[in-house]
Every structure is written in C-alpha cells, then in structure tokens.
C-alpha cells in the first residue's frame, strides 16, 4: 500500500546514522585500546590519529541524529511514532526539546551527545591520557548506541529507534488500512507531551542532569586507565574533572528539585522519591571520591579508596539508569519511565548488561592490582586533615548505602520474590537517619579545613576554631530559641536532632567564611573549596528550616469541603484545604483570600486561577496564579501546578486541589415563603432571619436608577458551620413598573428574591428562596509557607560557584606549571 504524505527520508538517514554511530564507536574503542597498549610512539600516534577520525564520524552521526529528531518533531511528521507520541500541533514551541527527553531513546541520545563533547574536551586538555580514557568513553558509546537501534537480534529486540514508523510499531491498528491515515484528526494532532513535563524547568533540567550523569564516566575512565597502565599519577589531572562532575550533577539534581517545587503538588522540593534518591547517591559517592582524591594527592593515603569511589560512582549512575528505565519503579515514582510489556524483558536485560560491562572489568582490574596500588601502612593522626576527610567520605558512602538500600526494595522483591512493603511515611524513614548524617557532615565541613595534612598542633587548632565556634553557637541558639523551630510531630529526639543539625549547618557557613578571612587572608582565588563548603552549609540550613517550619496556611475555616475525609492524594488532609467561592473574600489566618477569576491560556492550554491575598493588618498584598491542566497519556483528571510568592525570608506557596465550574443552565425554581420581621426560615444548610425592612436605604442607592423608590429586606443568614452572611433582596418601583433586585450568597449557593408585600398592616411579606449549584464557582486551595527556602536555592548557586572556582584554580596551576 502506498501511504500518502509520509516523509521517509529523514527516518532512513536516521536509521543509517544510528548503525554508523554504533560501528564507529566499536572501531574507536578498538583503536584506542590498541593505542593504549602500543609502546612505540609512532605506531601509538598512528592509532590515536585513526581513532580520532572514527570518533569524529561517531560525533557527527550523533549530532545529526539529534538534528533529524528535532526536524521530525518540529514539522509534526506523525508517521514517526516518536513524533506522534511525544508532541502535538497545539504544544507550545518552547517545550519542543522536552519532547525528546520524554522518550527513552531521546534521553539516551542526550547522554551520548555529552559523551562526545566530553571526549573532545579530554582530547584537548589531557592528551597524555587520551588513549585510555577515550577507550572507556567509547565503550560507553557502544552501550548507548545499542539503545537507539530498535532492531531484532535472534528474536530479541535491541533498543528503541526514534525513527520507527508508527505503522511498523503498531501494525495491527485499523487506521493503517487507510492510505491517508495521516489526515485523520487523532493522528494529525498528536498524542501531546506529558502535562508534568510542560514546564520550563524540563527544558533545561534534563540536559544539565545528563551532563552530570555523563561526566561521571571521566573519573571512572581515568581510574580504569590508571590500572590498565599500572600508573597512579592520574589522580592530579582528574581533580578538575571530578569537581566539574560534582558541580554539574549536584546542580542538575537541585534543578530537578526546583521543577518538583514548581510543577508537582506534593508541597515541597524533595520527597525521597526513588528516582531522586538514585541520582543523589552517585553524587554522594563522587564527592566522597573527590575528597579522598585530595587526601592522596596531599598525604599519600587513600588511593585504593579513591579508585573504589570513582568506580562505584559511575556504576551507581548505571544502576540508577536501570531503576529509572527498566520499569521496576513505574509504580513508586513519578519520575520513572514506563515500559510497555513487549519491550520490558529486552530493556531490562540490556540495562543489566550495561552495568556489568563496566562493573566486572573495573572490579577485575581493581582486585588484580590491589596489592600494587600504593598504600601507606602508617595510621593517620587524629589531628590531621586526611583522617577527618576520610571519615567524612565514609559517612557520605554509608548514607548513600542506606538510601540506595531503601530505594532498591522493588528490585529485592523482584529478585527474591519477597513482598517487602515500603514505609508508610517514606520521608521520615529517610529523614530520621539523614538528619544525623547532616550533623556529622556539617561539623566536618566546618572544622576539617582548620587541620593540616599529616598533623596539627592541638593548641593552634583550638585557637583558630574557637571564635567561629562561638559565633556559630550564638547564631544557632538564636535560631533555636527565637526562630520558632518547633517541629515535634516525630517526637522530642528528632526535634533535638534538627536543632543540633541547624548548629552544624551554621557552623559550616561561619567557619568556612572565617577560614577565607583568617587563613587565606581574603584571597578568593584559593577559596574555591571554602566557598563550596559555605554553599553546602547554606543548603543544609535551608533544608532544615524550610522543612521543619513548613506551615499550612490554608486550614479550612469555612466548614465547606468538597473533599472527602478519606481522600489522601496531593491535597492530603481535607482540613488543610480552604474552599474559596468566586468573588467571596475568605478568612485564611493572617490573610483574606479571594478567588477572583480564572482564564485559559490558548498557548499552553492551562487554566490559571487568580487568587488575591490581602494581609489583615494591610501590611502586604499580592496575587498568585496557580494553574491546572487536563491530564493526557490516558490519565484522568487534572495536573496542578503551584504558584509562589517569593520573599527573601520565605515563600508563600499555593496550588489548586480541586475546582468546580458551574456553567450549566439553572433549572431550579424559587420556593416562596411568607415571612415578617423577626421570623426565621430554614434552608438545607442553615437558617435565615428577617431583621428589618428599609425604605430607600442609603446603602442600596447604587442599585437604583433615576426616579426609582425602593424597599429592601435586611436578612441575616446563618450556616450550619457557624458562618454569618448578610443579604438584601429588594424591589424598585417607578410608576407602574416593578423591578426585582435579587441577592446572591454564593458561598451557600443561595438566591433570595423579595416578591411582594402580602399584608401591609400585618407586615407579612413573600420571600422567594432558591438553592442552586449553578451559581457557584469554587476551588479548594492548599497554601504553605516555607521559611528561609531561598537559603537553599542560594546555597546551590554558591556551592556551584565554589566548585567552579576550584576548577579554575586547578587549571591555572596546570597552565603555570607548563609555562615554567
């Protein structure tokens, strides 16, 4: 059958380039391996030159594949399953790149691109280690290239091609019996991008995170090349690379936290989600490896540990890839990729193979050369910097072990057939352990730089650390006594631990700042490590205070709730969700809050709700615009995106937990009641009392036209929840014309109408009462206050800058040595 309108050439070129990149990476791996073994310099350079040419072919192939995918998606060539499944014609152009990250093959391609970039950077900066390190990187490229193939090998599918035609991917669909299937509305429109990914953070966060993932192969490659060549001088040139990897991976992780804070409605930035954990643990071991690397460089201790940490870091990156992409976490994480059943087994074993390709050779070389790796048998002095840096690295490693063990519960269940249930409170399950890790690491971050390598005179150390210690103690005590940190939900022991951790976080900031001033004499060129430590202390302090003092502002004061008590979704406890009726100012603690209006943005198809906040003491007012977007990809309901008002000392953070729009026709009628002054009338949710009747009241003049006289009823409405409302239905009379002026109490779905006077002498009146849901637009809103959360975000920036300063210092030192 000849299908009309298909564009086959881009896919054919893409398929060819995917195979070419695999072949090129295999050849480059072989060439660099031979070059690394070759002793003769002429032959070695010949092999390296050949390997570079092949690596260039591989690089061009990978970048061209990326360009073809962008071309296919941006032109809406929905004959390709990739383009149809991850984009739509109505998708905002700014989210185009997010379509690529959403797919497994697209994110693997991003990883491969960064490997190419890092490979050329290594060729430029570290030619001495080019053969060994590029061999490892190209082996990684071989593994990733197989993920882009989408071909069957002896009945097993290898990878998923981004260039597969939809009709080949799902050949049994009836639509493909139509040669003009591309004109069908469902096909032409596209399946759209997952609503959770339609956020600007998801355009920039994945590239940074995957650069962090990809960069961890560089320390691994240096260590592997060192063991292959029985050389251990790689520990100096690897330091800038390890620092770069730690900076970018940490930044990528925290960008993910920022995305969660702004896009997910669990009320925070970190939920100990399994995928969050799987990316955090390699960062912990990488930072541990960087510190023991510095220990070896300056004291000769811990080289074996350095090898171990760099090997285990990249292995954990591969393991996190397995957790994320194998489908094993599909039911426990919002971040994990889902895998269809027919591809599950293939991708599962392919990812395991990816891990083993690197882990087995690394362990083999490590244990084979273990005894020849230099090691000082003498124990470190307890007052030496290297001793406490090693302790800190060990604590980071043990923290990572605890996190990954808890995260791997689904894997254990799958392998051993167990049914270990996850904790009912996963956040506290981690926090009760990691708060003590924060205490130890904060303390070590504060004091270790005041120690010298080899040994430090005790009195000298005491004099230097005394003033920073006292300052930190005073500041932390002020926070503890006057900062309102009273998180007692988990008992007094945990509360004490939080306060101790606050002290160590403040200590890390103060002590490192003092070190820059006193020990480094303010020389910022040499202060990269101290600046990074200050940033780390700020991150700890921001996490501790913003989490411990997180306050719910939206306690339901109306007594009206559309949420059920047993509902425990994103909204949590229904009592923590305030019901707002449109245009009705509602009491919310120190604010009066009004749901003003809602609008749908035609560009991003989100419904934005304008919420007006006014402080009762008139000291502040602002508007928030949380939004909801209809779920897609077979999911029901709406996805809520929060909005926040940022202050230097806090954030006010709000999101919609439900909304009710009544645009149906009002079919209810008025029930007429006879009433006189002082009488009560009951309605379904309370009662109303006629207080008095007023002729031409001054307060109602704005409702009248010229020449009209009026009669208004002054009615007080009491709801079952104890709320009180005023209503003033009336009539306006001009000549023989009578105009009814109804009054509406939206919060009670109540309309009152003054029909007529029944008995003027007896004061009996006819009042029409209508209860109609068609008049009520309402939302339920959840609002948090996060004190000092901007300390966390600023700390991330400062820590990243510190890493950058350290990298610059190392590169300058290397350049100065070359020029001598």
């Amino acid at each position: 059958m000849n299908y009309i309108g298909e564009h086959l050439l881009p896919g054919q070129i893409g398929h060819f380039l995917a195979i070419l990149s695999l072949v090129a990476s295999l050849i480059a791996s072989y060439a660099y391996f031979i070059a690394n073994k070759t002793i003769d310099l002429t032959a070695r350079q010949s092999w390296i030159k050949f390997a570079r040419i092949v690596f260039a072919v591989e690089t061009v192939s990978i970048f061209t594949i990326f360009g073809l995918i962008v071309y296919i998606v941006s032109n809406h060539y929905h004959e390709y399953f990739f383009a149809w499944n991850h984009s739509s014609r109505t998708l905002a152009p700014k989210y185009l790149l997010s379509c690529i990250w959403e797919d497994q093959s697209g994110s693997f391609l991003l990883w491969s691109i960064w490997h190419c970039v890092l490979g050329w950077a290594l060729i430029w900066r570290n030619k001495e280690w080019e053969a060994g390190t590029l061999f490892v990187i190209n082996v990684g490229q071989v593994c990733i290239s197989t993920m882009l193939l989408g071909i069957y090998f002896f009945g097993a599918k290898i990878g998923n091609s981004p260039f597969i035609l939809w009709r080949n991917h799902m050949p049994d669909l009836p639509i493909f019996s139509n040669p003009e299937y591309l004109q069908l509305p469902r096909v032409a429109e596209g399946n759209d991008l997952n609503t959770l990914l339609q956020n600007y953070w998801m355009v920039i966060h994945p590239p940074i995170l995957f650069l962090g993932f990809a960069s961890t192969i560089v320390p691994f490659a240096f260590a592997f090349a060192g063991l292959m060549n029985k050389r251990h001088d790689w520990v100096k040139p690897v330091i800038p690379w390890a620092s770069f990897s730690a900076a970018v991976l940490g930044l990528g992780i925290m960008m993910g936290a920022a995305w969660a804070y702004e896009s997910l409605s669990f009320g925070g930035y970190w939920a100990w989600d399994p995928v969050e954990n799987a990316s955090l643990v390699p960062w912990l071991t990488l930072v541990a490896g960087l510190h023991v690397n510095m220990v070896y460089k300056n004291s000769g201790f811990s080289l074996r540990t350095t090898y171990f940490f760099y090997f285990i870091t990249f292995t954990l990156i591969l393991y996190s890839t397995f957790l994320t992409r194998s489908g094993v976490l599909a039911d426990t994480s919002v971040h994990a990729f889902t895998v269809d059943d027919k591809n599950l087994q293939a991708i599962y074993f392919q990812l395991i193979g990816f891990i083993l390709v690197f882990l087995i050779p690394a362990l083999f070389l490590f244990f084979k050369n273990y005894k020849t790796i230099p090691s000082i048998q003498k124990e470190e002095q307890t007052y030496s910097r290297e001793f406490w840096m090693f302790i800190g690295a060990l604590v980071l490693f043990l923290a990572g072990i605890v996190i990954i063990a808890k995260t791997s519960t689904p894997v254990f269940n799958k392998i051993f057939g167990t049914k270990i249930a996850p904790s009912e409170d996963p956040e506290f399950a981690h926090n009760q352990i990691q708060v003590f890790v924060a205490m130890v690491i904060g303390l070590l971050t504060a004091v270790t730089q005041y120690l010298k390598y080899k040994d430090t005179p005790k009195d000298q150390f005491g004099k230097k650390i005394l003033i920073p210690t006292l300052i930190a103690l005073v500041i932390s005590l002020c926070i503890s006594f006057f900062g309102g940190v009273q998180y007692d939900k988990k008992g007094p022991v945990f509360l004490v631990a939080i306060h101790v951790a606050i002290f160590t976080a403040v200590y890390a900031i103060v002590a490192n700042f003092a070190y820059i001033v006193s020990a480094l004499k303010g020389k910022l060129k040499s202060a990269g490590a101290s600046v990074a430590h200050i940033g780390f202390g700020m991150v700890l302090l921001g996490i501790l205070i913003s989490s411990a003092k997180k306050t719910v502002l939206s306690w339901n004061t109306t007594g009206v709730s559309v949420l059920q008590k047993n509902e425990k979704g994103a909204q949590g406890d229904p009592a923590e969700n305030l019901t707002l009726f449109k245009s009705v100012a509602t009491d919310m603690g120190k604010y009066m809050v009004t749901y003003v209006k809602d609008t749908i943005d035609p560009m991003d198809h989100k419904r934005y709700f304008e919420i007006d906040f006014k402080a009762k003491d008139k000291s502040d007012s602002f508007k928030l615009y949380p939004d909801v977007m209809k779920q897609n990809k077979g999911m029901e309901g709406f996805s809520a995106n929060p909005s926040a008002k940022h202050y230097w000392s806090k954030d006010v953070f709000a999101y919609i937990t439900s909304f009710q729009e009544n645009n149906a026709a009002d079919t209810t009628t008025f029930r007429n009641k006879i009433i006189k002054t002082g009488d009560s009338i009951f309605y379904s949710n309370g009662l109303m009392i006629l207080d008095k009747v007023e002729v031409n009241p001054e307060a109602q003049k704005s409702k009248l036209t010229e020449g009209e006289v009026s009669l208004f009823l002054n009615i007080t409405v009491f709801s079952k929840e104890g709320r009180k409302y005023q209503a003033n239905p009336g009539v306006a009379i001009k000549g023989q014309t009578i105009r009814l002026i109804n009054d509406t109490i939206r919060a009670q779905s109540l309309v009152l109408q003054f029909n007529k006077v029944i008995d003027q002498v007896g004061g009996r009146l006819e009042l029409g009462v209508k209860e109609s849901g068609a008049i009520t637009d309402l939302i339920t809103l959840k609002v948090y206050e996060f004190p000092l959360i901007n300390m966390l975000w600023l700390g991330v920036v400062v820590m990243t800058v510190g890493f950058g300063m350290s990298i610059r210092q190392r590169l300058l030192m290397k350049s100065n040595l070359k020029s001598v």
Side-chain angles (χ1 to χ4, degrees), residues 452-726:
K452 294 181 178 179
Y453 287 106
K454 305 295 175 69
D455 198 9
T456 307
K458 295 179 182 179
D459 57 339
Q460 187 183 50
F461 170 73
K463 288 179 182 178
K464 289 182 177 179
I465 202 68
L466 178 61
I467 302 249
T469 304
L470 293 175
I471 294 172
L473 188 61
V474 170
I475 294 173
S476 61
L477 286 174
C478 288
I479 293 173
S480 295
F481 284 107
F482 306 112
V485 182
Q486 299 295 332
Y487 186 83
D488 56 0
K489 296 178 184 178
K490 302 300 180 181
V493 174
F494 189 65
L495 178 59
V496 170
I498 289 174
H499 284 283
V500 175
I502 287 173
F503 163 71
T504 61
V506 172
Y507 198 14
I509 298 169
V510 172
N512 279 277
F513 180 79
Y515 185 83
I516 294 172
V517 174
S518 60
L520 299 179
K521 308 300 182 185
K523 296 178 181 177
L524 290 178
K525 290 182 179 180
S526 303
S530 296
V531 171
H533 290 160
I534 289 172
F536 180 72
M538 292 170 68
V539 168
L540 281 183
L541 187 61
I543 289 172
L544 289 164
I545 294 181
S546 66
S547 299
K549 288 193 65 181
K550 182 173 80 170
T551 305
V552 176
L553 300 181
S554 53
W555 291 104
N556 193 351
T557 57
T558 66
V560 179
S561 177
V562 297
L563 305 175
Q564 301 298 316
K565 290 185 178 180
N566 59 352
E567 289 187 64
K568 290 290 182 181
Q571 72 274 3
D573 185 351
E576 297 178 355
N577 296 260
L578 181 65
T579 301
L580 298 179
F581 296 90
K582 196 169 188 177
S583 303
V584 177
T586 305
D587 189 346
M588 194 188 77
K590 57 186 175 183
Y591 297 102
M592 292 300 293
V593 183
T594 307
Y595 161 30
V596 180
K597 63 181 179 179
D598 58 89
T599 55
I600 296 178
D601 188 326
M603 293 296 294
D604 59 15
H605 313 294
K606 294 178 179 179
R607 181 189 292 268
Y608 289 88
F609 294 82
E610 182 179 323
I611 314 296
D612 183 54
F613 287 74
K614 286 186 169 62
K616 291 178 180 177
D617 61 3
K618 299 183 180 180
S619 62
D620 191 18
S621 66
F622 57 91
K623 295 182 186 293
L624 292 182
Y625 297 90
D627 66 82
V628 298
M629 188 176 186
K630 186 173 176 57
Q631 294 274 29
N632 56 15
K633 306 283 186 178
M635 295 182 287
E636 296 181 353
F638 288 82
S639 171
N641 292 303
S643 177
K645 172 66 175 177
H646 304 290
Y647 298 87
W648 73 268
S649 60
K650 66 181 180 182
D651 274 7
V652 177
F653 171 100
Y655 61 93
I656 305 295
T657 51
S658 73
F659 67 97
Q660 178 178 304
E661 181 182 28
N662 291 297
N663 49 19
D666 185 3
T667 59
T668 57
T669 58
F670 283 97
R671 291 182 296 108
N672 297 326
K673 304 283 188 179
I674 306 301
I675 190 172
K676 60 183 179 179
T677 303
D679 284 354
S680 299
I681 297 176
F682 288 91
Y683 71 104
S684 64
N685 196 50
L687 61 87
M688 61 192 78
I689 300 174
L690 175 59
D691 298 318
K692 60 183 177 179
V693 181
E694 295 181 290
V695 179
N696 293 326
E698 189 70 24
Q700 306 297 335
K701 275 190 175 182
S702 61
K703 298 178 181 179
L704 305 178
T705 60
E706 186 177 351
E708 286 185 324
V709 294
S710 64
L711 194 65
F712 279 89
L713 309 184
N714 194 321
I715 298 173
T716 303
V717 179
F718 298 91
S719 72
K720 291 178 181 178
E721 299 82 27
R723 303 278 292 180
K724 184 168 71 172
Y725 307 90
Q726 287 299 129

Side-chain angles (χ1 to χ4, degrees), residues 87-331:
S87 69
S88 69
R89 293 182 184 275
T90 57
L91 182 68
K94 60 186 176 182
Y95 300 133
L96 175 66
L97 292 178
S98 297
C99 300
I100 300 175
W101 324 144
E102 184 186 31
D103 189 81
Q104 293 230 34
S105 58
S107 55
F108 273 122
L109 178 63
L110 178 60
W111 193 341
S112 184
I113 286 172
W114 285 130
H115 271 180
C116 292
V117 173
L118 292 167
W120 287 108
L122 277 165
I123 292 171
W124 174 46
R125 298 293 306 185
N126 299 99
K127 290 182 173 62
E128 183 182 357
W129 291 91
E130 177 183 346
T133 55
L134 267 292
F135 161 67
V136 175
I137 287 177
N138 276 281
V139 171
Q141 288 291 80
V142 171
C143 295
I144 293 176
S145 294
T146 63
M147 301 292 179
L148 306 177
L149 287 181
I151 62 174
Y152 286 87
F153 187 73
F154 291 109
K157 188 178 182 183
I158 308 298
N160 292 293
S161 172
F163 300 106
I164 189 169
L165 294 172
W166 188 11
R167 56 183 168 87
N168 291 334
H169 183 70
M170 297 179 175
D172 297 329
L173 290 181
I175 60 171
F176 299 124
S177 61
N178 181 355
E180 297 184 350
Y181 75 94
L182 288 174
Q183 305 305 316
L184 298 174
R186 184 74 179 88
V187 178
E189 173 55 32
N191 201 32
D192 209 359
L193 178 68
N194 189 308
T195 54
L196 292 177
L197 304 184
Q198 295 186 36
N199 180 277
Y200 68 94
W201 278 114
M202 290 311 293
V203 178
I204 58 177
H205 155 58
I208 300 299
L209 183 65
F210 274 91
L211 175 57
F213 284 169
S215 64
T216 59
I217 200 174
V218 178
F220 181 100
F222 269 104
F224 196 90
L227 289 180
M228 278 200 304
N229 297 314
K230 295 181 172 56
R231 290 177 54 186
H232 308 295
D233 54 334
W234 59 271
V235 291
K236 289 185 179 180
V238 81
I239 290 174
W241 288 103
S243 299
F244 172 80
S245 185
V248 175
L249 182 56
L251 181 63
I253 292 169
M254 293 313 297
M255 278 184 169
W259 165 70
Y261 183 65
E262 294 198 7
S263 294
L264 301 181
S265 52
F266 61 76
Y269 47 84
W270 194 268
W272 293 107
D273 179 274
V275 174
E276 294 173 341
N277 300 346
S279 59
L280 173 64
V281 174
W283 184 81
L284 295 176
T285 58
L286 177 61
V287 171
L290 177 60
H291 282 79
V292 293
N293 192 159
M294 295 298 298
V295 166
Y296 174 73
K297 175 182 173 292
N298 290 282
S299 70
F301 287 99
S302 301
L303 179 57
R304 290 171 177 169
T305 314
T306 305
Y307 273 108
F308 173 77
F309 279 136
Y310 285 154
F311 282 153
I312 201 67
T313 295
F314 185 61
T315 303
L316 284 167
I317 288 290
L318 299 180
Y319 180 64
S320 73
T321 302
F322 166 77
L323 289 175
T324 308
R325 298 165 185 275
S326 65
V328 72
L329 295 180
D331 297 328

